[in-house]
Amino acid sequence: MAKCQSNGKGWDSTNWDLNTQQPHGGQEWSTIANFVEDFSVTTNYLGPPRKAIAACATALQHIEHYPAANFEPAHSDLAAWLQPSDPKEISSRLMLGNGASELIDLVTRIGAHVGDFSVRSAQQYKEYERAALASGRNLINDPAKGNMLAVVNPCNPTGEYLPIEQMKEYIESSCQDHTTVLVDESMQLWRGPAWREDSLVSQKEWIVNLLESRDIRVYIIHSWTKIWSCPGIRLGSVIAPTAQHIADLKKHQVPWSLNVFALEFLSAAIKDEEFLNLTWEAVPRLRARTENELTKLFPSWEFHGEGWLSWLWIDTKDEEVAASAVKLAKAAGVPIRNGGMGYGVPTFIRLKVASSEKQDILINALKPLAQ
């Protein structure tokens, strides 16, 4: 297996085997004695929906039984939520998994064309690269010369976002025939109540036409652990071009991939419209507050990403400043992400959107850098 592209630079402590695994954030919180908030991740600052947590508690009574092998009724609940106009149609092309990571690996090994792979951005979620390298693929720079392309939209961590028509144009113009495209829309839901209109979820006819005319397979990946702040139970899904592609993946998925807690959580979270409405109202406001307060202290810093995203990608312009910011934040119990950790851009830092009270803790911790 090809070694993961994850040198140890920037990782002051880790639970990962850096010789064999692709490291990710969110691992420090349990080792920080004065922990307040994990700003290094991109999960919803509201935490998990209370109704979904209550559903998990109720699921304890079923712990002596196996979870449903077909993931019902959570599977149907998600299908109806993703495509209210025709839940049955999308249900046949939908598959749940133990986080997006399981499904990324499955599609890469089983559902994708054989050949080299590329990514739209060198700074994007690294699990696609890990899965491709592990399956023996070569990483190349030009999508037009490969047979697999991974696009994270919006891109985590850079925050770059392609509206639906730009995304379609990019895929059509960048890919040669006989290519598989994995589009990760995990953070696209943050866009607001009209998210479906700007999502590939709404583009069934275009996806079918691309498959039939050029043999380009477009898979849509979602990690539901960010919007509903539940990485501890692992929830993901993939929408394939056809039902047959899903059938091919199912042959290789281990049974009972989701436990009873994850399934009950998903069904309850989908129904909690109040939680999403609060998210869509509060996150842009709090994100703007973070940027405004940090700009007052550090006018030379550059802030990247759409205003509705759950994190900020910041270029401090100085590698030592970024490293010092990471140390000061961790000492204050509010760890942030170093851009040198996996992404190879050590002047950058990433921090999540949080409540104003917790923002203030982080901002105060960083003030020595402004002196």
Side-chain angles (χ1 to χ4, degrees), residues 196-250:
R196 293 179 188 84
E197 299 172 10
D198 208 40
S199 165
L200 285 177
V201 171
S202 67
Q203 300 297 309
K204 175 198 169 187
E205 291 184 5
W206 176 80
I207 290 173
V208 170
N209 179 66
L210 209 56
L211 177 67
E212 294 179 347
S213 63
R214 298 182 56 189
D215 188 28
I216 294 178
R217 307 172 195 167
V218 177
Y219 291 85
I220 308 168
I221 304 282
H222 287 101
S223 167
W224 301 112
T225 61
K226 307 297 191 300
I227 190 70
W228 288 312
S229 196
C230 60
I233 60 173
R234 316 301 303 136
L235 272 175
S237 66
V238 59
I239 302 171
T242 69
Q244 184 57 51
H245 290 108
I246 289 296
D248 293 340
L249 295 178
K250 281 184 178 180

Side-chain angles (χ1 to χ4, degrees), residues 245-285:
H245 290 108
I246 289 296
D248 293 340
L249 295 178
K250 281 184 178 180
K251 294 177 183 177
H252 296 267
Q253 185 181 36
V254 297
W256 310 299
S257 183
L258 271 69
N259 60 40
V260 293
F261 306 106
L263 294 173
E264 292 292 341
F265 182 100
L266 179 59
S267 289
I270 288 168
K271 297 179 177 68
D272 196 339
E273 296 182 4
E274 181 181 1
F275 179 86
L276 285 178
N277 288 331
L278 180 56
T279 297
W280 292 326
E281 182 281 322
V283 169
R285 172 171 48 81

